[in-house]
């Protein structure tokens, strides 16, 4: 795409370049056929306030698992159904830790931990998920 | 009949290296490498055409095929066919030879492309244009790179051509005898004009012809590169090796089957003139050692309308049946047919003659031949038999003109073009496939709706339509299309009278399908797809249907698809297609109850049919609590035991 504002002339130039590139790749030139734009990739730069990352409140019980809001049964993951705790994202506190299988719900997303994965809540409330060795897994 | 059981040749596996090199002018390893290379060449140039094609039938259906063929001195032997439309590929083995021999091999020059589309010379139908490029090395023809590609239109009475109601070659479309489309790399203006003056949608066809030329040029470059690296002798030797290997594998498969005479038949429901006549393919296979004679002499006369095939297409069907049954892992080449003689008189539905034996829906005739072959050999093959598929392409074509005057055409997108396969010893069959001989792509719903004034409302499997078996057939497919503007429709379902999805090895048949439409806004489509009571106010188009309710019914009356050649609808009409179901393999009463339970959960089998067809008692409601379904093991065991003790 030629730099600057998109005008009738630059569109003409763009279509001309398309035919050159098409001929280079496929050995044919179809100048009499209309060109249809199907995929557009647009990059925008907008000035914005600096993002502020507030620290997450610290847990009283750092290192242990939060209280689940409910327990559900997962099917088709393994041969037998698995009882799985469900956590609410907004209730999670820094330093809490829990093992998969687990489900974390929030208003626009769901995070799912497989068996053998461990989540730890970081300083900003982020969920850090790591695979844990079988020997380290908690009996819970 | 003479049967040559004295194979003079040493089998390939046992051949000493010196003897191998004597036959094939290269060592065994090089022959294998080159054999794969021929396959790579055709796939690569097909990929190039698929990427560049404008026509939806090429771009979205993959309705084309490519071959590499040897020179005239090697009788145009064909070691590689692309993994696309098998109908094309089979016919192309003879089409290239017929076209070049008629044109004259000595008239060819580097950069030429020879074309032809006459079904009686090149197989399939007039829309399938063969483009054939000789490849020269040191002034000699090394071989040919060819593509047969379906053109969106080839003239004739019906836009797009798809119709079973045309009555002669004069209604069918433009016939092109062998001639140059390119001469020494330059387009031949009068050949382009001949085509473009006689077809609709030339604006798509012209650039596609140029794209095909580009793909052939790519194929030529790849073949020349191969000859440069390995030498002409090795390349030709490897072509002979590849064809000999497939001949040997088919012969070995035949040899493992007991000697005998095997008969089978299947039918096309009617032709496009009236439903007074059924068209039966009758096949009689005489098998001795590693050879077979396939005799179709008792097949019905040629149809009065355009549903016939040529001899070349009949040959393809015979080869595909043998390949499926005896050499599923090998290559399909011009050697595949070598152990087989095909006996076929002139003027049958499989060997139609011009001008009255019009050929368009050739696959419907040859699919019946494939079914008859599979049926004939099923008892002898036992557990190795293959059950029947959807068998008809149930093509739906429609066309019209938009309010601004723009013509539009939907070709082979909105009928029952895809459907189930039959089961085999290896497992349950898929439900949404091309028929056994096609191997096309499925046009994307998004592309269809973006291009045309229609919406696809439903495309789903039909409960209790799959042929029961220890391995289950694929389920029938239901498809609803909503047409936003007035339209002329051509509906071509041809296999509803008899279950084409026949069961094998103790398996049961699949259900048969039907076609209906509801016209205009008043006839808005019913909300529930699977209820059998929704067809009362529909216009039945085809199927074995109950005269009062229009629902599918095995003992119903045959409703004839072409009692109107063209179905005209108002805006917002809905067409519904239900295909046939695929056949089952093995006794359904031996199917593991757990697999029946999963079918009930997934909506392939109802609770009632689980009892009736499989002897499995499932408790619970699959609609409201699919995960709580249970097998009643005691009741199942009792039911299956009583089934073993007495007839069902």
């Amino acid at each position: 795409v030629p730099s600057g504002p998109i005008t009738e002339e630059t569109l003409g130039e763009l279509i001309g370049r398309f035919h050159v590139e098409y001929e280079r790749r496929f050995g044919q030139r179809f100048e009499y056929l209309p060109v249809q734009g199907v995929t557009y990739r647009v990059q925008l730069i907008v000035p914005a306030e600096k993002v502020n990352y507030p620290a997450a409140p610290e847990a009283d019980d750092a290192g242990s698992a939060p209280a689940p809001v409910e327990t559900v049964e997962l099917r088709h993951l393994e041969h037998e159904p698995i009882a799985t705790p469900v956590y609410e994202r907004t209730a999670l506190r820094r330093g809490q830790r829990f093992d998969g299988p687990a489900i974390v719900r929030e208003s626009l997303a769901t995070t799912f931990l497989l068996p053998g994965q461990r989540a730890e809540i970081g300083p900003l409330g982020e969920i850090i998920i790591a695979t844990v060795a079988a020997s380290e897994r908690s009996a819970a | 009949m003479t049967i040559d059981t004295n194979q003079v040749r040493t089998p390939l596996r046992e051949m000493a290296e010196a003897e191998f090199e004597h036959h094939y002018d290269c060592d065994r390893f090089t022959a294998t490498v080159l054999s794969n290379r021929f396959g790579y060449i055709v796939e690569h140039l097909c990929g190039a055409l698929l990427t560049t094609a404008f026509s939806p039938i090429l771009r979205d259906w993959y309705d084309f095929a490519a071959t590499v063929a040897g020179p005239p001195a090697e009788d145009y032997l064909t070691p590689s066919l692309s993994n696309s439309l098998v109908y094309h590929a089979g016919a192309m083995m003879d089409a290239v030879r017929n076209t070049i021999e008629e044109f004259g091999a000595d008239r060819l020059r580097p950069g030429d492309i020879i074309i032809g589309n006459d079904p009686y010379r090149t197989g399939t139908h007039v829309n399938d244009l063969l483009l054939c490029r000789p490849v020269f090395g040191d002034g000699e023809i090394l071989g040919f790179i060819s593509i047969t590609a379906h053109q969106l239109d080839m003239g004739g009475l019906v836009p797009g051509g798809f119709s079973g109601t045309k009555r002669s070659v004069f209604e069918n479309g433009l016939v092109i005898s062998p001639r140059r489309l390119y001469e020494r790399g330059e387009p031949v203006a009068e050949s382009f004009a001949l085509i473009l003056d006689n077809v609709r949608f030339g604006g798509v066809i012209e650039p596609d012809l140029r794209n095909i030329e580009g793909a052939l040029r790519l194929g030529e470059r790849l073949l020349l590169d191969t000859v440069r690296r390995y030498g002409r002798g090795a390349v030709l030797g490897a072509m002979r090796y590849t064809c000999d290997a497939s001949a040997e594998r088919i012969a070995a498969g035949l040899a493992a089957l007991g000697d005998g005479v095997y008969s089978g038949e299947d039918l096309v429901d009617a032709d496009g003139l009236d439903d007074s006549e059924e068209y039966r393919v009758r096949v009689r296979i005489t098998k001795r050692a590693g050879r077979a004679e396939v005799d179709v002499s008792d097949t019905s006369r040629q149809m009065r309308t355009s549903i016939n095939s040529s001899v070349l297409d009949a040959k393809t069907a015979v080869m595909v049946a043998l390949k499926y049954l005896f050499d599923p892992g090998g290559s399909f080449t011009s050697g595949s047919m070598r152990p087989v003689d095909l006996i076929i008189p002139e003027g049958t539905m499989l060997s139609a003659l011009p001008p009255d034996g019009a050929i368009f829906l050739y696959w419907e005739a040859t699919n019946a031949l494939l079914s008859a072959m599979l049926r004939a050999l099923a008892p002898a093959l036992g557990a190795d038999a293959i059950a029947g598929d959807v068998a008809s392409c149930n093509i739906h074509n429609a066309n019209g003109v938009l309010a601004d005057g723009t013509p539009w055409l939907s070709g082979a997108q909105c009928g029952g073009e895809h459907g189930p396969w039959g089961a085999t010893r290896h497992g349950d069959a898929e439900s949404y496939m091309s028929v056994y001989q096609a191997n096309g792509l499925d046009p994307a719903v998004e592309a269809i709706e973006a291009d045309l004034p229609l919406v696809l409302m439903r495309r789903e499997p039909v409960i209790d339509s799959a042929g029961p078996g220890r391995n289950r057939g694929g389920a029938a497919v239901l498809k609803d299309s909503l047409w936003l503007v007035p339209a002329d429709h051509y509906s071509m379902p041809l296999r509803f009278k008899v279950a084409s999805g026949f069961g094998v090895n103790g398996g049961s048949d699949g259900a048969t399908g039907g076609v209906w439409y509801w016209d205009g806004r008043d006839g808005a489509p019913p909300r529930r797809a699977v209820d059998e009571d929704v067809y009362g106010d529909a216009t039945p188009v085809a199927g074995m249907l109950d005269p009062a309710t229009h629902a599918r019914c095995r003992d119903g009356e045959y409703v004839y698809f072409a009692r109107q050649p063209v179905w005209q609808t108002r805006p917002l009409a809905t067409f519904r297609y239900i295909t046939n179901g695929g056949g089952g393999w093995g006794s359904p009463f031996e199917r593991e109850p757990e697999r029946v339970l999963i079918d009930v959960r997934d909506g392939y089998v109802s609770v009632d049919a689980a009892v009736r067809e499989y002897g499995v008692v499932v408790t619970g409601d699959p609609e409201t609590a699919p995960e709580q379904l249970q097998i009643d093991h005691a009741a199942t065991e009792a039911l299956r035991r009583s089934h073993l003790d007495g007839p069902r």
Side-chain angles (χ1 to χ4, degrees):
Chain A
V1 181
S3 307
I6 294 174
T7 65
E8 216 161 292
E9 289 92 71
T10 59
L11 267 185
E13 198 183 332
L14 171 65
I15 290 167
R17 288 183 189 180
F18 169 80
H19 288 302
V20 170
E21 176 62 16
Y22 188 92
E23 187 175 12
R24 193 185 64 77
R25 282 200 200 182
F26 301 116
Q28 305 283 352
R29 205 178 175 94
F30 298 113
E31 284 185 354
Y32 51 88
L33 291 179
V35 174
Q36 185 184 11
V38 177
T39 306
Y40 299 87
R41 292 198 182 85
V42 179
Q43 202 170 33
L44 282 180
I45 299 174
V46 180
E49 295 288 311
K50 253 311 192 214
V51 180
N52 185 28
Y53 296 101
E58 186 122 18
D60 305 332
D61 52 350
S64 58
V69 291
E70 63 171 322
T71 302
V72 296
E73 211 172 62
L74 285 187
R75 284 167 175 269
H76 308 303
L77 192 62
E78 290 177 359
H79 289 298
E80 295 301 319
I82 313 171
T84 304
V86 178
Y87 301 109
E88 175 57 42
R89 178 79 186 258
T90 53
L92 297 180
R93 296 290 176 265
R94 172 182 182 177
Q96 285 174 332
R97 193 183 288 170
F98 51 91
D99 287 348
I103 293 167
V104 181
R105 290 198 180 130
E106 58 192 292
S107 59
L108 290 175
T110 302
T111 306
F112 173 55
L113 266 71
L114 287 165
Q117 293 179 328
R118 172 171 297 165
E120 185 166 348
I121 309 304
L124 302 171
E126 75 273 25
I127 307 174
I128 302 157
I129 301 174
T131 306
V132 288
S135 56
E136 279 184 54
R137 286 178 202 172
S138 69
Chain B
M1 186 184 75
T2 35
I3 301 165
D4 176 17
T5 49
N6 307 315
Q7 290 227 333
V8 203
R9 284 271 309 274
T10 318
L12 286 169
R13 267 179 198 285
E14 294 162 26
M15 210 176 260
E17 197 57 43
E19 189 183 356
F20 190 96
E21 289 193 23
H22 169 73
H23 282 298
Y24 301 118
D25 295 324
C26 62
D27 62 52
R28 197 180 284 272
F29 182 74
T30 305
T32 310
V33 168
L34 285 172
S35 182
N36 286 311
R37 172 99 181 151
F38 301 139
Y40 160 78
I41 290 173
V42 292
E43 298 308 332
H44 194 13
L45 66 97
C46 282
L49 180 55
L50 201 60
T51 310
T52 53
F54 291 97
S55 157
I57 198 123
L58 302 181
R59 182 192 71 194
D60 301 340
W61 240 107
Y62 211 149
D63 195 345
F64 62 94
T67 64
V68 170
E74 299 274 356
D75 197 26
Y76 305 85
L77 84 178
T78 307
S80 81
L81 311 165
S82 58
N83 292 327
S84 49
L85 221 66
V86 186
Y87 295 113
H88 290 177
M92 284 173 78
M93 299 186 217
D94 294 297
V96 172
R97 179 199 294 110
N98 291 349
T99 301
I100 299 302
E101 289 292 303
E102 183 172 341
F103 182 81
D106 51 349
R107 292 171 62 201
L108 298 174
R109 302 189 192 104
D112 284 357
I113 288 178
I114 311 303
I115 55 169
N117 78 336
D118 180 13
Y120 310 97
R121 292 164 160 120
T122 58
T124 65
H125 51 197
V126 285
N127 285 49
D128 293 338
L129 188 63
L130 168 70
L131 293 93
C132 192
R133 186 177 186 104
V135 179
F136 281 82
D138 297 329
E140 267 185 286
I141 299 175
L142 294 165
F144 297 87
I145 304 286
S146 306
I147 287 179
T148 290
H150 186 115
Q151 307 304 316
L152 206 50
D153 191 87
M154 202 40 81
L157 282 185
V158 178
F162 285 106
S163 157
T165 55
K166 294 181 284 189
R167 295 180 63 171
S168 74
V169 294
F170 311 112
E171 297 182 358
N172 209 15
L174 175 68
V175 172
I176 304 168
S177 57
R179 70 195 54 231
R180 288 192 185 94
L181 185 68
Y182 281 79
E183 181 169 17
R184 295 176 187 266
E186 293 301 319
V188 175
E190 60 267 30
S191 292
F192 271 89
L194 171 73
I195 296 170
L196 297 174
D197 288 350
N198 284 284
V199 304
R200 306 167 183 89
F201 309 108
V204 172
I205 291 170
E206 192 269 351
D208 274 346
L209 292 177
R210 290 173 53 187
N211 282 323
I212 295 167
E213 191 271 336
L216 292 176
R217 229 186 309 141
L218 170 66
E220 176 185 48
R221 185 162 60 74
L222 293 171
L223 186 61
L224 283 174
D225 185 47
T226 309
V227 171
R228 242 188 321 274
R229 282 164 67 179
Y230 294 91
R232 178 190 161 90
V235 167
L236 294 180
M239 287 184 180
R240 291 194 302 276
Y241 161 77
T242 309
C243 294
D244 288 352
S246 44
E248 199 178 288
R249 290 174 64 127
I250 294 284
L254 284 169
L257 182 75
D259 283 355
V261 177
Y262 307 106
S263 299
E265 70 173 73
D266 215 313
L267 79 159
V268 169
D269 293 342
D271 67 16
L273 192 66
D274 59 47
D275 63 345
S276 64
E277 205 166 330
E278 288 173 351
Y279 291 88
R280 290 187 179 270
V281 173
R282 294 189 184 86
V283 55
R284 187 183 144 92
I285 303 167
T286 306
K287 209 289 300 183
R288 296 280 186 278
R291 291 195 64 87
E293 179 192 88
V294 177
D295 186 342
V296 295
S297 299
D298 287 338
T299 294
S300 297
R301 65 170 181 157
Q302 69 187 24
M303 293 184 236
R304 298 159 298 174
T305 61
S306 48
I307 309 173
N308 298 294
S309 85
S310 77
V311 174
L312 302 190
D313 308 310
K315 192 175 153 189
T316 303
V318 169
M319 278 194 284
V320 170
L322 297 175
K323 170 89 172 61
Y324 265 55
L325 294 171
F326 300 119
D327 185 21
S331 305
F332 189 29
T333 74
S334 59
S336 303
M337 191 72 176
R338 204 182 297 156
V340 182
D341 294 314
L342 173 60
I343 296 181
I344 181 165
E346 289 183 335
T348 73
M349 61 189 275
L350 300 169
S351 53
L353 296 175
D356 299 321
I359 292 176
F360 204 94
L361 309 182
Y362 64 88
W363 60 86
E364 301 290 347
T366 68
N367 285 358
L369 172 55
L370 179 73
S371 300
M373 292 279 297
L374 295 179
R375 282 185 196 268
L377 293 169
L381 286 165
D384 290 325
I386 297 175
D389 67 342
V390 54
S392 176
C393 290
N394 301 299
I395 299 267
H396 187 95
N397 256 38
N399 57 272
V401 180
L402 299 179
D404 67 359
T406 312
W408 59 268
L409 168 69
S410 166
Q413 294 165 325
C414 295
E417 289 86 1
H418 291 75
W421 277 16
T424 67
R425 66 184 306 163
H426 300 292
D428 294 347
E430 296 289 341
S431 300
Y432 198 79
M433 303 290 285
S434 297
V435 292
Y436 280 149
Q437 293 190 78
N439 199 32
L441 295 176
D442 181 37
V445 170
E446 293 81 359
I448 296 170
E449 294 182 348
D451 288 349
L452 295 164
L454 68 95
V455 184
L456 283 168
M457 305 296 286
R458 282 197 180 93
R459 198 169 72 183
E460 60 193 40
V462 177
I463 196 166
D464 292 339
S465 61
R470 184 162 149 203
N471 290 331
R472 171 178 54 67
V477 173
L478 180 151
K479 201 194 282 180
D480 281 356
S481 54
L482 176 66
W483 303 79
L484 306 175
V485 298
D488 287 355
H489 304 266
Y490 297 79
S491 179
M492 294 155 257
L494 286 152
R495 298 285 291 275
F496 285 155
K497 277 191 178 171
V498 169
S500 66
F502 54 88
V504 295
N505 194 36
S508 302
D509 294 348
T512 55
V515 182
W516 307 259
Y517 74 89
W518 290 269
D519 197 10
R521 190 188 294 276
D522 310 335
R527 292 187 65 81
R528 285 206 50 136
V530 295
D531 288 354
E532 291 295 329
D533 59 4
V534 297
Y535 299 108
D537 60 344
T539 303
V541 175
M544 297 297 289
L545 306 180
D546 183 300
T549 66
H550 303 155
R552 288 173 301 147
C553 173
R554 284 311 303 148
D555 310 320
E557 285 176 11
Y558 176 65
V559 175
Y560 172 53
F561 67 96
R563 68 185 188 279
Q564 284 200 56
V566 185
W567 303 89
Q568 292 178 318
T569 59
R570 294 176 287 148
L572 298 175
T574 295
F575 261 87
R576 168 168 297 178
Y577 278 75
I578 294 181
T579 69
N580 292 346
W585 178 96
S587 167
F589 276 67
E590 289 170 15
R591 187 172 174 85
E592 300 85 332
E594 290 72 22
R595 290 171 74 200
V596 177
L597 176 77
I598 291 170
D599 276 352
V600 173
R601 183 194 70 188
D602 293 348
Y604 285 99
V605 175
S606 66
V607 170
D608 289 348
V611 171
R612 192 175 63 241
E613 303 290 345
Y614 292 93
V616 173
V617 180
V618 175
T619 58
D621 185 349
E623 290 301 321
T624 58
E627 298 303 340
Q628 276 70 50
L629 292 172
Q630 302 270 350
I631 301 165
D632 183 337
H633 286 283
T636 298
E637 208 171 303
L639 193 57
R640 287 191 155 183
R641 205 176 314 114
S642 71
H643 171 78
L644 277 180
D645 293 344
R648 269 162 81 192

